[in-house]
């Protein structure tokens, strides 16, 4: 299948913002594979903010590649690749953008209806950031598009800040190891529980696990789909997962603790949580008084 560009019309493809962000200070080489029913004339245009670079070409019945290059500057807000048919009808089935040997855009992006400016799905695609997500998963190795400290996405203001973004409490303290140990015990028990309990309870636990996985997946998708200077990672959006996480951890621990000792274990657990909350509040009061 090919995109059809009648005479006098233009198609435009905006480079996903996250792709342009990764390509700053690099020279991108743009290319299209184009042909026509007969002799046709067209232009390949690259808009880089207020800078415009274009190359004119002639298209014939035999498909040929037309390419050009443009430098992506540090403050670039957007890069748009345009194909204009000056005479005759153009057909194009490949659009590429490469930086050295790294593919920034591949031809499979042509399958997205949001390429065409008047597509009714364009606004929905932009709102859901589907071009950025698809680019991140198809045009580059997945781990290369994650932020360098992507594990911290789940700690910023979650257990690390409690909403006061300039007051770290858990991260870097002894509490971090204690919480890790506490959750680790629950995880080991959960693995055991999934092998011992009845089918109905297993399905309930797997539902909670799926809910937690979805909650953690959304910030991760946001991290790979947003340019570095626009992404604001807020771990507090993970708060809805606290209840299913607590249920999973509690279930795992209840499997490991003998029946006779569960009341003692619950008492220790409640005292520990209360001391943890009191310690956090004391820390905040001390911090703001200072």
């Amino acid at each position: 299948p090919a995109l059809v560009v009648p005479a006098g019309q233009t198609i435009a493809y905006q480079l996903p913002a996250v792709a342009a962000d990764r390509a700053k200070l690099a020279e991108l080489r743009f290319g299209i594979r184009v042909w026509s029913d007969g002799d046709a004339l067209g232009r390949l245009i690259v808009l880089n903010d207020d800078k415009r670079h274009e190359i004119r070409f002639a298209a014939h019945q035999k498909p040929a590649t037309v390419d050009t290059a443009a430098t992506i500057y540090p403050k670039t807000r957007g890069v748009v690749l345009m194909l204009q048919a000056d005479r005759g009808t153009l057909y194009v089935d490949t659009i590429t953008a490469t930086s050295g040997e790294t593919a920034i855009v591949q031809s499979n992006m042509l399958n997205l209806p949001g390429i065409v400016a008047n597509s009714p799905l364009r606004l929905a695609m932009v709102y859901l950031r589907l071009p950025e997500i698809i680019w991140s998963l198809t045009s580059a190795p997945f781990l290369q598009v994650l932020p360098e400290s992507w594990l911290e996405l789940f700690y910023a203001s979650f257990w690390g800040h409690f909403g006061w973004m300039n007051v770290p409490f858990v991260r870097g303290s002894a509490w971090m190891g204690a919480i890790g140990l506490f959750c680790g015990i629950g995880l080991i028990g959960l693995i055991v529980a999934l092998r011992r309990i009845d089918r109905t309870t297993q399905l309930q636990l797997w539902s909670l696990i799926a809910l937690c996985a979805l909650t953690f997946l959304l910030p991760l998708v946001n991290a790979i789909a947003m340019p570095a200077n626009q992404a604001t990672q807020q771990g507090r959006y993970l708060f809805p997962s606290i209840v299913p996480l607590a249920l999973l951890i509690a279930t795992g621990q209840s499997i490991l603790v003998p029946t006779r000792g569960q009341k003692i274990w619950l008492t220790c657990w409640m005292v520990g949580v209360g001391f943890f909350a009191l310690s956090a509040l004391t820390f905040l009061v001390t911090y703001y008084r200072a």
Side-chain angles (χ1 to χ4, degrees):
L3 288 176
V4 181
V5 189
Q9 292 192 14
T10 303
I11 63 167
Y13 173 69
Q14 183 167 3
L15 208 65
V18 66
D21 183 64
R22 308 286 173 183
K24 286 179 180 178
L25 290 178
E27 183 182 72
L28 290 190
R29 181 158 292 279
F30 299 90
I32 59 170
R33 185 172 179 266
V34 63
W35 68 94
S36 180
D37 295 327
D39 293 333
L41 296 176
R43 280 179 282 177
L44 180 62
I45 305 166
V46 179
L47 300 179
N48 184 1
D49 280 348
D50 58 343
K51 299 175 179 62
R52 178 187 178 98
H53 182 82
E54 68 176 61
I55 181 172
R56 297 177 182 271
F57 62 87
H60 310 284
Q61 292 184 351
K62 184 177 180 180
T65 299
V66 178
D67 59 20
T68 187
T71 300
I72 309 302
Y73 297 97
K75 295 184 179 180
T76 293
R77 293 185 299 274
V79 179
V80 179
L81 182 65
M82 301 174 65
L83 176 63
Q84 181 172 318
D86 294 327
R87 187 184 72 192
T89 301
L90 299 177
Y91 303 93
V92 57
D93 66 355
T94 301
I95 295 178
T96 59
T98 57
S99 175
E101 297 182 355
T102 302
I104 303 298
V105 172
Q106 295 177 340
S107 58
N108 54 10
M109 303 298 282
L110 279 175
N111 298 325
L112 299 177
I115 286 180
V116 184
N118 60 355
S119 168
L121 295 180
R122 183 175 179 83
L123 290 179
M125 293 185 62
V126 171
Y127 178 77
L128 296 174
R129 292 208 293 271
L130 291 185
E132 286 82 358
I133 293 172
I134 293 173
W135 175 84
S136 300
L137 298 178
T138 61
S139 296
F142 181 69
L143 292 178
Q144 286 189 10
V145 299
L146 290 172
E148 293 180 2
S149 56
W150 66 275
L151 281 175
E152 292 188 5
L153 298 177
F154 307 120
Y155 246 87
S157 83
F158 188 43
W159 279 328
H161 293 279
F162 291 100
W164 294 273
M165 295 303 293
N166 60 339
V167 188
F169 174 61
V170 173
R171 186 168 49 186
S173 71
W175 283 110
M176 190 169 180
I179 292 175
L181 177 62
F182 183 79
C183 294
I185 295 173
L187 178 61
I188 294 172
L190 183 63
I191 295 173
V192 175
L194 288 171
R195 301 183 64 178
R196 290 184 182 178
I197 58 181
D198 59 271
R199 176 86 177 159
T200 301
T201 309
Q202 279 186 358
L203 291 175
Q204 292 173 346
L205 291 179
W206 279 116
S207 298
L208 290 175
I209 293 172
L211 182 61
C212 292
L214 177 62
T215 307
F216 278 81
L217 179 64
L218 294 177
L220 197 60
V221 170
N222 182 65
I224 69 172
M226 290 289 286
N229 62 345
Q230 297 180 21
T232 303
Q233 307 303 337
Q234 300 289 353
R236 63 174 177 263
Y237 297 131
L238 297 174
F239 280 165
S241 66
I242 289 180
V243 173
L245 278 174
L247 289 173
L248 291 171
I249 293 172
T251 302
Q253 291 182 356
S254 67
I255 293 295
L256 296 181
V257 178
T259 304
R260 292 181 179 179
Q262 286 190 359
K263 288 185 178 180
I264 299 176
W265 178 260
L266 180 60
T267 301
C268 294
W269 190 88
M270 295 299 294
V271 171
V273 170
F275 181 72
F276 179 73
L278 180 62
S279 177
L281 291 174
T282 303
F283 180 85
L284 288 173
V285 170
T286 304
Y287 177 86
Y288 282 108
R289 279 186 176 179

